[in-house]
Amino acid sequence: MFINVIELSRILALTAIAFAVAIAWTPLLTHFLYKFNLGKQIRSGGKTPIFTSLHQHKEGTPTMGGILIWGTVFLLLAIFFVINKFFPESSFAEFNFLDRGQTYLPLAALGAAAIVGLADDLFGIWRIGPFGGGLRMRHRLVSYGAIAILGAWWFYDKLDWSIIHIPFYGEFNIGWWYIPFFIFIIVATSFSVNETDGLDGLAGGVLVLSFASYAILAFAEGKYDLAALIAVIIGALLAFLWFNIPPARFFMGDTGSMPLGITLGIIAMLTNQSLLLPLIGFILVMESASVIVQLTSKKVFKRKIFHSTPIHHHFEAIGWPESKIVMRFWVISAVMAGMGIIVGLIG
């Protein structure tokens, strides 16, 4: 298989640049978060006693660290766009990754979801909303759904997409069913990322592996600008992870998990490899599935299957150290993501 070395070098360089830029302005962000006491509020009130007992010591740790990720993405987008427009002969002009067909939609979704997530984080900090903890999950699902509906309309009506790729089978036209399928993928991915973001470093590490998998698939499909956007996200995520591993300097917050989940889902649709999400995002699926199973069991059988959900809290409750859970989940995520890449490349 031919490899475009120039594009590969560009993508790897963008990852390094995003990492360096994000690391460089992190002190400014952390100073702002600590100065204005924008810390995480742990819900009490008896609704989640196990979670509260396990995480009460983290109350006050700054949240909204997701600003570092999407802030870096849009900062570099603006810089390279300006260079490309006004200094097209510059070597840095080639780093521009704004492309109508490949990156407009994921960037728009990233920005819109970041604003909604930012509002949710602020509601939680200021103890606005149910139980003094921001938006309830059904309100978040409505937000995910609204963005997903707009994306589905854009894909189906503007881009004329109605085909999904089934590994080892080929292309399958599902007609207007593409719209509810698209909505399901986006909402499910967003929900899953939100549920996974519960331990220091967990969501960040899993997302790095998931985005890296889709960067490889996008590159293999010749979608170089999309791969470049993913590379910038990965670089910023790695910088965030540097400060988020236990003990976390700050948390991702909904302004991180919400836009990253939605963007991951849209990238899966843009590469037409959405059916690989259960492999590439295996930990994400496992986390959300544990919540659904727990809620169903409590409603139908009036009993709990897990001590606490998402499932990483169950392992905490039975005595596993937080760092052990995180690193073991990273290992599982890496193995399953590798399998997803293999299926995507040969399937």
Side-chain angles (χ1 to χ4, degrees), residues 14-31:
L14 279 169
T15 303
I17 291 171
F19 176 78
V21 169
I23 287 286
W25 78 277
T26 296
L28 179 64
L29 176 62
T30 53
H31 173 74

Side-chain angles (χ1 to χ4, degrees), residues 41-118:
Q41 303 298 316
I42 304 298
R43 298 185 183 187
S44 52
K47 294 291 182 179
T48 55
I50 296 177
F51 168 81
T52 301
S53 65
L54 290 170
H55 290 256
Q56 194 65 56
H57 66 283
K58 295 185 179 184
E59 183 162 12
T61 302
T63 185
M64 301 196 300
I67 295 174
L68 179 68
I69 303 166
W70 55 261
T72 300
V73 172
F74 285 111
L75 175 63
L76 291 180
L77 174 71
I79 290 173
F80 292 130
F81 174 77
V82 169
I83 292 175
N84 183 67
K85 186 172 181 64
F86 296 103
F87 308 98
E89 301 303 320
S90 169
S91 299
F92 289 102
E94 298 300 320
F95 287 127
N96 178 46
F97 52 89
L98 187 63
D99 180 88
R100 179 182 177 85
Q102 296 183 35
T103 62
Y104 269 25
L105 186 57
L107 282 168
L110 182 72
I115 293 172
V116 176
L118 186 64

Side-chain angles (χ1 to χ4, degrees), residues 174-195:
I174 59 175
W176 67 269
W177 283 100
Y178 188 86
I179 295 176
F181 177 75
F182 185 102
I183 294 171
F184 170 77
I185 291 295
I186 303 305
V187 172
T189 307
S190 306
F191 173 77
S192 299
V193 172
N194 185 267
E195 294 301 318

